[in-house]
Amino acid sequence: MTIPPHEPPIDLGSFRQLPPRPKRRFAKWIVLFIVLFFGLIPWLAGAITDWLWFKEIGYATVFWTDLNARAALFGIGGLFTFGFLYGNLRLAQRGPVTQPILLANPKGPPVDLVAIIGKLALPLAAVLAFLFGISLSALWLTVLQGTNGVSVGAADPIFGRDIGYYLFTLPLAAAALNILVSLTVLSLLVTTAMYWVRGDLILPPRRTSVERNAAFHLGGLLAFLFVLIAIRLWAVRVPGLLYSTTGPLFGASYTDAHATLPALNVSAAVALLSAALVIWGVVRGKLVWFGTLAIALYLAVAIVGRGIFPFAMQKLLVAPNELNRETVYLGHHIKATREAWGLDKVVTRDLSGEDRLSMADIAANPGTIENVRLWERDLLAQTFGQLQEIRTYYDFIQVDDDRYMVDGRYRQVHLSARELNTRSLPTKTFINERLTFTHGMGLTMAPVNQVTQEGLPVLFIKDLPPASGISLKVTRPQIYFGELTDSYVFVNTGQPEFDYPSGEDNIFTKYQGSGGVPISSFVKKLLFAWHFQSLKLLLSNDVRSESRVMYDRDIPTRVRKALPFLSFDGDPYLVVSDAGELKWFVDAYTASSNYPYSQPRADGVNYMRNSVKVVIDAFDGKVTAYVVDPADPLIRTYGRIFGGIFQPLSAMPEDLRRHIRYPTDLFEAQTAMYATYHMMDPHTFYHREDQWQMPRVDDRERENPFMRHVIMRLPEEQAAEYIYMSPFTPRGKDNLASWMVARNDGERYGELLVYRFPKQSLVFGPRQIMNRINQDTEISRQVTLWDQSGSEVIKGELLVIPIEESLIYVQPLYTRARGGTIPEMKRVIVAYQNHVVMEETLDQGLARLFGAEGDARAARADREVSGADAPISGAPPAPIPAAPAPVSGAAATLTQRAQQHYDQALAAQRAGDWTTYGEEIRRLGEVLRQMRQ
């Protein structure tokens, strides 16, 4: 080897003695540590704790299905993206660079820009592949639905495809094609830039030219893009017309069927033609010219065919004759909406509107009368809080409605769980918050219609430990899982668990259940210390191997984590089983935004079913999901995806089945839809001739203030039952048009009924009744006196109570000391037709309204309406009546008997003996008929 004279000799052996570069290696270790500490280790800790949680509740299938699907999509999608992008970038770097772009470098020779971009190709493709993989993993449920979707058995009215295609296959096809189009466009842009930098592609203002290899590459990508666009138009955009909003409905309208649909087909064909033009341009060596022509041709057809042509048809042809043109499509829309929201199963019954209530009718409906809800839930929650919280760290979150057999009688009750609020603990330490104060205790239960002499609610179940004055008992009152248990706790530790206060002492307990994840080892203890970011947990000697950790305990979080593919009702409710155990019920929904032609809500959902009832044990947190609608295609699909997690409704214990109820969120959505979609004739629907609305007394009230659970006997039924009710008024009017009920009991659970009043009859609505109440001088005077005496008057909810084929209205009045927190019920207002009375109790109000005084008032009203008391024009005045004749002995006897029956009826009414009351009223009627003879 010859060494130039101007360079000193190099000792090759000296390279072996050069010290390593510690700084670079140290930097690599720092980067690795950061990635592990802030990325991989937290993810692994979270995944393991989640797996232990799912395993503990018996839903490991959900965890592994979710994780495997996400991992597969991330891996497959990321690899595909990397291969597609990096392959195109490497393909663009073929051959020598004829005109390199050199960048000035003040510290050395110029830098070749092409070389820099070439080095960035690999990391750029890797980063984009990672981002695409993350995005694809979020589509795990869409992919599983698309690959496991079931047939619905009904077809759309335009293309004849099964509805299951729209619910399951179409979203997957749309996602896949959107990803392919995005990758192709991204690759086309990046490779175009690469070829321009290399000098293989020359663009204006210079003379345009493309190197042959570059032309084949770019032309192939552009042609592939046009093919993807054509496929997306046929496979996604064409069936997507069934979600169009072009016309006066949601779904394909006349314009969509006769203008947009042909235009989409033509556009797809033109896209294929454009792909052929691009390929021809590559072969002829004129890619730029033919590529520009292909793009211009496609855009021109898209703008004219899918923009101008449908717009012109809608404005010039359809709009002037919209009803005639859209009649068929309105029919499709109405039918699909009713099916998607379950309104096609509503049974309609017409009321005569001529029924006049009497005291005998009241007596014949004891189940309705003794369950009139006199206590408003918000006010009752305040009262419970003041009377039954016992300690400051207990809270009543909300009051629920339910029904129970109480001492042999079917009663509607209010109940609320007494939950532990750790935020209110006087001393907040790790031991207090995590080891000692671990659970709430029992509940408070009150009938909906009973009041003490002080105006306070009667309590069926109260105090600590829960004491019951009825046949229903609470044997396991501890609440480890509830609506307020949003923190983690440890049980079976070295610290005794606080159970409940007893006078000046505290009672402690030791957990005997199976809830929570066993700690069992130091490794698990370390894992949970990392997960909860708690050094105290790691150092605590009280948390032992036999201890168990309970986390994700609050009911909304628990059900959403266990069943992430369902949506849930916003009102969980507590149930006491026959064994005295506390169970939480949560209604779960399957929902979709892809039901063709169905009208969506504001959130886009246009299909909804309450297919699952979830039961959570308040003591051990066990989660059980029961299928109540096995015909729902969504729940059938989820059953195929997550095998073994659902149980049939028949597996639910009978004592719990008695407490399932129609869910609030679904009933609100159905009533809102039914207000319009009870009109099935397209002409009537188009003109909104018979549209209804939810009644309101105050425009600031919630959406449907009169939707309530009540116990009542429906018209033409024999027994009282627990129903969910909502009235309707005609749009823009205040009188009632109908009322809708959802049945809750037994085999009739889920049935929807609508009772319609005759259009020619006037049935007062809530706003009209409230106006009469506000105008009543007696009521106004009493309210003013209470206000002046330092009390705050609270008007309760106006209750709509159907009886037979008529309605009565009931409104309780409460008073509360100014600045006080305990409302007391003072009066009950009862209204029927145009009569309003106020009494201390509901029974007294009914007796006054429908007793002798009420009958006389009704008779006077009838005469006023018929004009019987008005003198006839031109007729002589009525003669002065003669003095009454002496009363005979028989008449005196009848009068005495009538008085006896009347007194006995009143006594039975006060005692709540409605059977005897009805019999005495019947006998009184017989005596009165004898007196008229």
Side-chain angles (χ1 to χ4, degrees), residues 548-864:
R548 307 177 76 92
V549 56
M550 298 178 177
Y551 53 104
D552 292 330
R553 296 188 299 148
D554 65 288
I555 301 303
T557 298
R558 199 166 183 83
V559 294
R560 288 188 178 95
K561 185 173 181 178
L563 302 166
F565 45 88
L566 300 177
S567 56
F568 297 91
D569 195 83
D571 184 23
Y573 61 99
L574 190 66
V575 168
V576 184
S577 70
D578 286 355
E581 300 172 349
L582 304 183
K583 310 283 187 178
W584 291 98
F585 273 60
V586 186
D587 287 288
Y589 304 109
T590 55
S592 175
S593 301
N594 300 308
Y595 199 99
Y597 264 117
S598 174
Q599 179 67 30
R601 299 188 307 187
D603 60 359
V605 172
N606 66 355
Y607 173 90
M608 194 174 187
R609 290 290 186 273
N610 173 222
S611 296
V612 178
K613 304 285 185 182
V614 183
V615 179
I616 301 177
D617 193 297
F619 186 71
D620 60 25
K622 180 182 178 182
V623 179
T624 310
Y626 299 95
V627 175
V628 295
D629 187 2
D632 173 32
L634 284 173
I635 205 62
R636 288 160 54 201
T637 299
Y638 293 141
R640 296 174 65 176
I641 298 172
F642 308 97
I645 66 171
F646 296 116
Q647 297 188 28
L649 184 61
S650 58
M652 181 184 290
E654 181 59 31
D655 60 329
L656 297 183
R657 287 189 66 179
R658 293 197 297 266
H659 295 281
I660 63 174
R661 72 185 192 190
Y662 207 80
T664 298
D665 292 349
L666 177 60
F667 194 54
E668 284 184 349
Q670 288 177 318
T671 52
M673 289 290 177
Y674 196 77
T676 299
Y677 288 89
H678 69 277
M679 299 177 287
M680 291 183 285
D681 177 67
H683 291 262
T684 305
F685 180 89
Y686 179 82
H687 294 296
R688 300 295 197 269
E689 296 176 6
D690 191 27
Q691 188 171 7
W692 298 340
Q693 65 184 17
M694 310 303 170
R696 285 186 176 88
V697 173
D698 187 338
D699 292 335
R700 295 170 296 178
E701 290 178 316
R702 60 187 177 90
E703 183 176 350
N704 195 344
F706 295 97
M707 182 181 294
R708 298 184 182 91
H709 289 98
V710 296
I711 287 180
M712 62 165 291
R713 183 173 68 84
L714 294 173
E716 302 178 3
E717 299 293 337
Q718 299 301 317
E721 57 185 288
Y722 190 61
I723 66 166
Y724 209 177
M725 175 196 169
S726 176
F728 295 101
T729 62
R731 185 183 60 174
K733 296 184 179 179
D734 294 330
N735 60 290
L736 277 190
S738 62
W739 46 283
M740 185 178 189
V741 300
R743 307 178 82 166
N744 293 275
D745 290 348
E747 298 300 323
R748 292 184 171 178
Y749 168 81
E751 292 183 6
L752 298 177
L753 302 175
V754 170
Y755 293 88
R756 298 186 303 190
F757 293 105
K759 294 183 180 180
Q760 67 273 14
S761 65
L762 175 61
V763 179
F764 291 126
R767 188 189 294 268
Q768 294 166 320
I769 293 296
M770 281 303 302
N771 289 339
R772 289 186 174 275
I773 292 174
N774 294 333
Q775 294 168 3
D776 189 279
T777 56
E778 178 186 353
I779 297 174
S780 299
R781 180 180 59 81
Q782 184 62 63
V783 169
T784 302
L785 288 175
W786 282 325
D787 280 333
Q788 292 175 349
S789 62
S791 296
E792 176 189 4
V793 178
I794 304 172
K795 292 184 178 180
E797 297 175 339
L798 183 64
L799 307 174
V800 184
I801 311 297
I803 295 181
E804 301 298 339
E805 295 194 4
S806 190
L807 297 170
I808 64 172
Y809 289 87
V810 176
Q811 184 182 42
L813 291 182
Y814 313 89
T815 61
R816 181 171 56 195
R818 297 196 185 278
T821 55
I822 302 181
E824 301 176 2
M825 199 180 77
K826 287 297 184 182
R827 295 290 187 273
V828 179
I829 298 172
V830 186
Y832 172 64
Q833 294 181 347
N834 57 349
H835 311 303
V836 178
V837 299
M838 181 177 71
E839 293 293 338
E840 293 187 2
T841 67
L842 174 62
D843 292 342
Q844 292 174 354
L846 292 172
R848 181 178 170 190
L849 197 60
F850 297 104
E853 180 181 346
D855 291 341
R857 187 187 299 109
R860 287 197 300 270
D862 288 343
R863 289 196 298 270
E864 290 172 1

Side-chain angles (χ1 to χ4, degrees), residues 9-29:
I10 298 176
D11 185 3
L12 298 178
S14 64
F15 284 97
R16 301 188 186 94
Q17 300 175 5
L18 290 176
R21 299 178 179 178
K23 292 184 179 180
R24 180 170 296 181
R25 292 186 179 181
F26 183 69
K28 291 181 179 179
W29 281 108

Side-chain angles (χ1 to χ4, degrees), residues 885-899 927-928 930-933:
V887 179
S888 65
T893 302
L894 290 174
T895 302
Q896 184 178 5
R897 286 174 55 194
Q899 185 64 45
V927 173
L928 293 176
Q930 294 177 20
M931 294 175 68
R932 287 197 296 266
Q933 294 176 356

